[in-house]
């Protein structure tokens, strides 16, 4: 039986499908890698991991494949799975790619809005903004729930861009990088002030998209997400888990 390292949050559970056993094992093992409980270069044995998580070796094998896609381990034929080092530079690189894609999407969505082709998508983005506002006003809001809602906002922009290739690339980055593991621990939106700042930034992005100003929408989105990148890197640097170099 795998137990989460953090309490359940009802908000997240409303929107995220239940994890498979393999995904739970991958998340559990990924957190141990990032925390340094499994060191870079260390071999991750199937039997050890199965015993640790209380599952059979079948889900463990699948979990290792998931971790390999997330670039947290390397599977070497006839030798096994070994932990890869995660650096602040690699985290920054991941942010930069994601932020560039999201900024491009904001510009594309604004262009569609200007052409009168994205009314439904604009309404969806407004709802995401309203939901962020509600969470900003809730002092009991959990940082992970807030970060999840911010992700939903950006995803609404990606959808609103009408670019299917961009949507596929975004999904690949989410599923096949260590992104999902890094965000298991709160890195942004920890305080009410920080959440208010994020709300103000997303409201400005929405305003530029609503105005159909592609250039400013792209600039605003990139600036806002780069600000989040810098906050996350600062937090990780100051409390750097031993698994991140």
């Amino acid at each position: 039986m795998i137990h989460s390292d953090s309490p359940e949050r009802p908000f997240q559970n409303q929107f995220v499908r239940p994890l498979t056993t393999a995904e739970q094992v991958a998340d559990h093992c990924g957190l141990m890698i990032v925390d340094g409980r499994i060191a870079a270069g260390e071999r991750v044995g199937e039997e050890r991991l199965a015993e640790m998580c209380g599952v059979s070796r079948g889900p463990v094998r699948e979990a290792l494949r998931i971790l390999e896609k997330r670039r947290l381990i390397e599977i070497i034929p006839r030798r096994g799975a070994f932990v890869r080092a995660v650096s602040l530079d690699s985290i920054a690189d991941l942010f930069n790619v994601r932020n560039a894609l999201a900024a491009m999407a904001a510009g594309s969505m604004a262009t569609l809005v200007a052409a009168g082709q994205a009314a439904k998508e604009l309404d969806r983005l407004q709802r995401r903004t309203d939901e962020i506002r509600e969470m900003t006003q809730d002092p009991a809001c959990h940082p992970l729930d807030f970060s999840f809602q911010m992700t939903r906002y950006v995803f609404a922009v990606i959808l609103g861009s009408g670019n299917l290739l961009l949507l596929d690339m975004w999904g690949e980055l989410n599923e096949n990088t260590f992104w999902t593991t890094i965000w298991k621990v709160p890195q942004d939106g920890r305080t009410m002030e920080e959440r208010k700042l994020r709300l103000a930034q997303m409201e400005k992005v929405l305003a530029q998209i609503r105005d159909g100003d592609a250039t400013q929408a792209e600039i605003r989105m990139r600036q806002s997400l780069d600000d989040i990148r810098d906050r996350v890197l600062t937090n990780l640097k100051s409390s750097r888990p031993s698994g991140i170099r």
Side-chain angles (χ1 to χ4, degrees):
M1 177 71 68
I2 303 169
H3 298 286
S4 172
D5 290 336
S6 58
E8 290 189 0
R9 286 173 291 280
F11 175 81
Q12 281 190 314
N13 293 341
Q14 291 176 15
F15 301 103
V16 180
R17 64 168 175 79
L19 298 178
T20 66
T21 300
E23 288 169 336
Q24 292 181 61
V25 172
D27 281 355
H28 184 71
C29 187
L31 279 172
M32 290 194 292
I33 291 171
V34 170
D35 287 346
R37 285 175 281 169
I38 305 178
E42 186 174 345
R43 186 175 184 275
V44 183
E46 289 182 8
E47 186 174 349
R48 173 192 171 194
L49 193 55
E51 182 178 350
M52 186 184 304
C53 296
V55 299
S56 66
R57 295 180 68 170
V60 166
R61 292 191 189 98
E62 186 178 348
L64 291 177
R65 288 193 290 270
I66 293 172
L67 289 169
E68 184 181 36
K69 287 182 178 180
R70 293 181 184 175
R71 302 182 64 79
L72 284 169
I73 66 170
E74 180 181 10
I75 299 178
I76 302 175
R78 295 182 295 280
R79 289 189 58 197
F82 296 84
V83 175
R84 301 178 62 162
V86 178
S87 68
L88 289 175
D89 286 342
S90 62
I91 294 172
D93 289 342
L94 179 53
F95 264 102
N96 290 337
V97 172
R98 286 171 53 89
N99 293 0
L101 293 177
M104 184 189 306
S108 297
M109 184 174 180
T111 298
L112 292 177
V113 169
Q117 298 176 11
K120 183 193 300 185
E121 291 76 9
L122 189 58
D123 287 344
R124 180 192 297 118
L125 188 59
Q126 180 66 64
R127 290 196 301 274
R128 298 293 173 261
T129 306
D130 293 341
E131 289 160 357
I132 291 174
R133 184 178 300 105
E134 289 178 9
M135 299 184 79
T136 299
Q137 296 168 352
D138 179 8
C141 174
H142 194 287
L144 285 184
D145 292 338
F146 186 80
S147 294
F148 179 72
Q149 185 59 49
M150 288 287 293
T151 299
R152 294 186 77 215
Y153 176 100
V154 177
F155 185 63
V157 175
I158 299 288
L159 286 173
S161 72
N163 188 326
L164 295 180
L165 177 58
L166 194 57
L167 182 61
D168 287 344
M169 293 173 67
W170 183 263
E172 284 292 313
L173 281 172
N174 281 347
E175 294 297 324
N176 298 334
T177 65
F178 48 80
W179 178 264
T180 50
T181 303
I182 294 295
W183 281 103
K184 295 295 179 183
V185 178
Q187 301 298 343
D188 187 60
R190 293 177 172 179
T191 66
M192 183 73 76
E193 291 71 23
E194 205 165 66
R195 292 193 285 272
K196 287 180 179 178
L197 173 60
R198 298 293 171 248
L199 170 63
Q201 291 171 328
M202 295 304 102
E203 287 178 329
K204 289 177 181 177
V205 172
L206 173 61
Q208 299 297 342
I209 291 176
R210 190 181 296 281
D211 289 344
D213 190 333
T215 299
Q216 285 303 311
E218 186 167 342
I219 290 173
R220 288 284 190 184
M221 177 64 94
R222 185 61 190 260
Q223 289 175 340
S224 300
L225 297 182
D226 282 353
D227 191 30
I228 294 175
R229 175 203 62 199
D230 294 344
R231 169 55 58 192
V232 171
L233 292 175
T234 297
N235 288 340
L236 288 173
K237 192 177 296 184
S238 62
S239 62
R240 186 179 304 195
S242 55
I244 298 178
R245 296 181 175 181

